[in-house]
Amino acid sequence: MPTTAPPFQTPGATPCPPTAEMLAAVVEATGAGIAVADPTLPDTPLVYCNRAFLEMTGYAMEEVIGRNPRFLQGPDTDPATAAEIRAAIAAGRAVSVEILNRRKDGTPFWNALSLRPIFGPDGRVRWFAGSFSDVTRSHRSERELRDAQDQLTRLAAETFALAEDLDRAREEADEARIAAENASRAKSRFLAMMSHELRTPMTAVIGMGDLLMGTDLNDQQRAFAKTLRSSADTLLSILNDVLDFSKIEAGQLTLEAIDFSLPRLVDDVVQLFLVRAAAKGLNLSASIADDTPRHVRGDPTRLRQVLFNLVSNAIKFTDRGGIEIAVWSPAPPGVDQGSGHHPSRPLTLRFEVEDTGIGMTDEQRARLFGAFVQADASTSRKYGGTGLGLVICKRLVEAMGGTIAVTSTPGRGSVFRFTIEVQLAEAPPTGELAAHRHPALPPPALQPTSPVSLRLLLAEDNDINRMLITTMLTRIGHRVDAVADGQAAVDAVRANDYDAVLLDMEMPILDGRSATRAIRRMDGPASRTPIVGVSADALPEHRDGHLAAGLDAYLTKPIDWEHLNAVIVDLATGSREGRVVPAPGRPVPDGGGYSRLPLIDRVKQAELRLALGSDSLDGMLRMLPETAMRELSAIRAALQGDRPQEIRQAAHTLAGLAANFGTPRMAAIARAVNDRHDDPEAIADLLPVLETVVAATSRMVLNPESGGGD
């Protein structure tokens, strides 16, 4: 069709070339596809189309002109929609539809078609003008939204049905009333029942598992008990995810608005995962941009939960390398977030959690934030989990006014990014550590404080001591692998290159002396690995015997962390020839001297709180009474059975535990039991004193305001 005589020019009108050229140029320039069909010709063929139409469909001009537009339809085109278009053309009326068409290369696309009749002077339809728009992306988004809504609807229906069944079983006499309850109330009852009925036995399972681990078990029984304990932890984690998700879905999520310290919150998260990261040989670090406000107002609990989930996932899916947390606050143009930002205006905080883990494909990423969805089926088989952690993160972030997204490369790692909206705090939060810091203590920091970062191996059979020492050394700046017995330490040294080894001297399978001798008998550089003994045993004759086994240094508990770090760095970076690092012994009080020692060393615990963070330390302290009672029971049973070596091992563990956590009276009496382990009469005299002190210390640890009965 000549461009100088466009089809919409009224027949017989005086030509106006500039106007025709202008209109043709406009039609060609528009982003929408435009096509014109002639209903006066057989089969209503196309007589004109613009460039956008050709680009959208992939056809050339000569392949389009003269054909009925039905050539765009495919086998998956809805017949009813096609029939609607034909009916509108036959009736000479306008029609607007969305129809699935196919391009020349066969790829489908959703076409938003708007068809309008153009009438001639005689009142008859002369042309049909159609506009075409590719709306495939919006169709896909709508479909995904419908799928998500359908999934949530199914979840709500299944939860409601289960709640109905449980309620009928418990309240058969009131079925009529239960049937009248609405879905929201039924879900609330189900949530409360799940929380109580499952958490109560889970607490017992976990507690009994811990107690079982402290009894005399053979290797197979201990493996069974460890599996039981690990499975209980996994089940409790799944339960927590399901309950959190159900609460969010039921609309019961509420947010706090309180002032909190952003660095302290991030540091608490880091401290919480340092042990787990170190156990896999991973680096875990965090940084906050200098111009980011330190004190903000928002919901610290929910922010901590998001970071917890993301860091936990990063460690789970990373086998080498590390995880890095970054925090900053992008200021609006011309505004200083730290000072010029008005306290009442929202402030955006941005977070990144980057790992060097297994990564994901684009297809896996697209499914990642769906409920009960993991990257693929093999993920849940290998790593476990409910697939709810990230959808909970997404809901929490959105509730805090932000968004969350992820970029990832298979085999190279992932970066999770999210934002939240907060406000500036009016003043530093009450109880901020910086306001009450002892002047002699170093400020808390997220960066390592050691001059060098070393790879260390720790062998310690007590779970809490192992957690404490690993956390502290990692906090100082080292990478720590932790094992629970001397044989595992020997195997680890044989398989890996460590800068130094720390050994507790009383361990199962192989004790510290035997493990040291085994390492010294190895071939090659492994035999020259620096070894530091750490023990609650301060008797000079025992110390000399430990050093004679091949130790480079011997330190007593409670550990002086600065001194320990200096010893490790010196041994790992300098010459070891003939070097022995002395450690001053601690006198053991006797008679009534124990009462002069405090139940709690407040300075020691303040140092631990600064180094570990309140949440980490409080969690460890809550485990202290149960662990102390377990070792006390072991001493009592060994005394009754005339097993002095078991008395020594249990007392040694208890002394080290008590010393490390700042309970000096318990530590002193436990050391005395350790020193007199082969004297039944002395142990019988000391045991009631130890029982009283353990009980008083436990009360004071669990309830600091009680005074412990001291």
Side-chain angles (χ1 to χ4, degrees), residues 663-684:
T663 55
R665 193 184 305 180
M666 187 194 307
I669 301 172
R671 278 196 296 269
V673 173
N674 175 71
D675 298 339
R676 297 162 174 80
H677 66 277
D678 54 357
D679 184 347
E681 293 183 6
I683 301 302

Side-chain angles (χ1 to χ4, degrees), residues 33-95:
I34 301 294
V36 178
D38 188 347
T40 66
L41 296 177
D43 203 25
T44 314
L46 293 177
V47 294
Y48 173 80
C49 65
N50 67 351
R51 184 181 299 106
F53 176 89
L54 298 175
E55 291 174 350
M56 185 186 307
T57 62
Y59 286 93
M61 180 73 75
E62 59 272 15
E63 296 174 309
V64 170
I65 300 303
R67 299 177 66 184
N68 185 286
R70 75 173 66 90
F71 70 87
L72 294 174
Q73 299 175 14
D76 45 3
T77 300
D78 179 27
T81 305
E84 183 181 355
I85 296 173
R86 290 195 301 272
I89 293 175
R93 57 179 171 80
V95 65

Side-chain angles (χ1 to χ4, degrees), residues 33 35 94-98 111-116 128-133:
V95 65
S96 293
V97 296
E98 290 188 358
N111 179 15
L113 170 64
S114 180
L115 196 62
R116 296 288 183 273
F128 270 101
S131 67
F132 301 74
S133 296

Side-chain angles (χ1 to χ4, degrees), residues 525-708:
S527 65
R528 297 186 294 275
T529 303
I531 304 175
V532 178
V534 180
S535 176
D537 187 348
L539 291 180
E541 59 270 26
H542 293 165
R543 175 180 180 274
D544 294 339
H546 294 326
L547 288 170
L551 295 176
D552 295 278
Y554 179 73
L555 306 180
T556 56
K557 300 173 183 176
I559 296 172
D560 181 334
W561 302 105
E562 184 177 354
H563 181 55
L564 173 62
N565 185 57
V567 169
I568 295 171
V569 171
D570 183 68
L571 289 173
T573 59
S575 173
R576 296 192 300 106
E577 290 297 322
R579 175 177 175 79
V580 174
V581 180
R586 283 181 171 265
V588 179
D590 56 6
Y594 301 121
S595 61
R596 293 196 296 269
L597 294 171
L599 289 174
I600 301 292
D601 184 343
R602 299 298 184 187
V603 174
K604 175 70 175 178
Q605 289 197 356
E607 293 174 348
L608 290 173
R609 193 171 299 278
L610 260 170
L612 298 174
S614 293
D615 288 349
S616 294
L617 178 61
D618 290 341
M620 294 180 191
L621 286 175
R622 282 193 293 271
M623 293 187 285
L624 177 62
E626 182 180 318
T627 305
M629 286 300 299
R630 186 172 63 210
E631 300 302 333
L632 182 59
S633 298
I635 294 171
R636 189 184 300 112
L639 176 62
Q640 293 173 352
D642 192 23
R643 299 188 295 273
Q645 290 305 316
E646 292 183 18
I647 294 175
R648 179 186 178 191
Q649 182 172 344
H652 173 90
T653 299
L654 180 57
L657 181 72
N660 281 335
F661 282 91
T663 55
R665 193 184 305 180
M666 187 194 307
I669 301 172
R671 278 196 296 269
V673 173
N674 175 71
D675 298 339
R676 297 162 174 80
H677 66 277
D678 54 357
D679 184 347
E681 293 183 6
I683 301 302
D685 291 336
L686 286 168
L687 193 54
V689 181
L690 181 58
E691 290 172 340
T692 301
V693 170
V694 167
T697 304
S698 298
R699 287 194 300 272
M700 201 165 184
V701 165
L702 296 175
N703 183 12
E705 303 301 324
S706 69

Side-chain angles (χ1 to χ4, degrees), residues 135-286:
V135 293
T136 304
R137 182 173 297 178
S138 64
H139 251 265
R140 184 182 300 116
S141 299
E142 291 173 3
R143 185 177 66 251
E144 290 173 352
L145 179 59
R146 286 195 301 271
D147 290 345
Q149 290 173 336
D150 290 344
Q151 188 176 28
L152 291 177
T153 301
R154 287 194 299 272
L155 175 62
E158 291 168 1
T159 304
F160 176 70
L162 179 56
E164 288 274 286
D165 291 342
L166 291 172
D167 286 338
R168 278 195 296 272
R170 293 188 305 163
E171 303 174 19
E172 293 179 354
D174 199 16
E175 289 183 354
R177 182 181 62 83
I178 294 175
E181 295 290 343
N182 58 41
S184 176
R185 181 170 298 179
K187 182 179 288 188
S188 297
R189 285 197 308 271
F190 173 61
L191 188 62
M193 186 279 298
M194 287 286 286
S195 179
H196 179 269
E197 298 298 332
L198 290 183
R199 286 180 188 274
T200 299
M202 280 306 302
T203 301
V205 170
I206 291 173
M208 291 300 104
D210 288 338
L211 292 176
L212 181 62
M213 291 287 291
T215 61
D216 292 330
L217 303 173
N218 60 37
D219 291 344
Q220 185 183 47
Q221 291 169 332
R222 185 167 295 277
F224 289 163
K226 285 183 177 179
T227 301
L228 172 66
R229 184 64 172 80
S230 175
S231 298
D233 285 338
T234 300
L235 184 56
L236 185 60
S237 176
I238 293 171
L239 172 63
N240 288 334
D241 276 351
V242 172
L243 293 176
D244 273 349
F245 183 71
S246 298
K247 186 178 295 185
I248 292 172
E249 290 299 287
Q252 297 173 353
L253 175 66
T254 57
L255 296 179
E256 287 186 303
I258 60 176
D259 294 344
F260 65 94
S261 166
L262 183 61
R264 179 174 175 181
L265 184 148
V266 174
D267 196 30
D268 284 348
V269 173
V270 171
Q271 296 301 333
L272 187 63
F273 286 101
L274 277 178
V275 176
R276 192 185 305 180
K280 296 184 69 174
L282 304 176
N283 291 321
L284 175 59
S285 61

Side-chain angles (χ1 to χ4, degrees), residues 459 483-491 503-504 507-512 515 519:
V483 296
D485 61 76
Q487 184 59 56
V490 173
D491 295 340
L503 295 178
D504 182 64
M507 292 184 293
I509 306 178
L510 277 185
D511 61 15
I519 293 171

Side-chain angles (χ1 to χ4, degrees), residues 277-361:
K280 296 184 69 174
L282 304 176
N283 291 321
L284 175 59
S285 61
S287 62
I288 301 178
D290 292 339
D291 58 353
T292 300
R294 264 42 187 171
H295 302 115
V296 295
R297 173 175 284 266
D299 191 328
T301 301
R302 295 305 183 181
L303 174 57
R304 187 182 289 108
Q305 184 176 356
V306 173
L307 286 172
F308 179 96
N309 270 322
L310 296 181
V311 175
S312 177
N313 271 355
I315 293 174
K316 180 192 296 186
F317 296 113
T318 303
D319 292 326
R320 60 179 62 88
I323 297 93
E324 183 176 356
I325 306 169
V327 187
W328 73 99
S329 178
V335 175
D336 180 359
Q337 296 273 47
S339 58
H341 192 85
H342 194 279
S344 63
R345 295 175 185 168
L347 175 72
T348 300
L349 293 179
R350 295 188 179 273
F351 298 80
E352 284 188 0
V353 177
E354 182 175 5
D355 65 62
T356 56
I358 61 176
M360 293 171 285
T361 65

